[in-house]
Amino acid sequence: MKTLELTLKGRDSFGRPVYESNGHLYCDVDPRAQMPPSIHKKADNEFDGEPDWPVDKDIEVKFIPARDVW
């Protein structure tokens, strides 16, 4: 199984946590603590860009230092 290590960079203008991995930006579109992560790439790799493609379900996500939730 592949692992995607995501480092927290802050929150975008919609309050979604933004993460970085290997120069690519991702966001959790449903960061509620009781929900599983729903990680999407950011459109055009922009911090405030719209969520684009979801990460494949077979990829394990590791949050550094931890998942940022609401």
Side-chain angles (χ1 to χ4, degrees):
M1 176 180 278
K2 291 183 179 181
T3 301
L4 178 64
E5 292 187 357
L6 297 176
T7 303
L8 183 63
K9 293 304 203 184
R11 291 193 176 189
D12 66 13
S13 58
F14 288 95
R16 298 176 294 224
V18 177
Y19 301 92
E20 185 269 332
S21 179
N22 295 320
H24 298 282
L25 295 175
Y26 299 84
C27 71
D28 189 348
V29 298
D30 190 5
R32 293 178 289 172
Q34 68 273 23
M35 300 299 292
S38 183
I39 305 300
H40 289 62
K41 288 184 177 182
K42 283 286 203 166
D44 299 322
N45 208 39
E46 293 183 12
F47 192 87
D48 282 320
E50 290 294 320
D52 203 358
W53 294 102
V55 171
D56 290 334
K57 298 289 183 193
D58 63 338
I59 295 178
E60 180 183 354
V61 178
K62 180 180 178 185
F63 295 97
I64 300 170
R67 182 179 178 213
D68 183 14
V69 295
W70 292 339

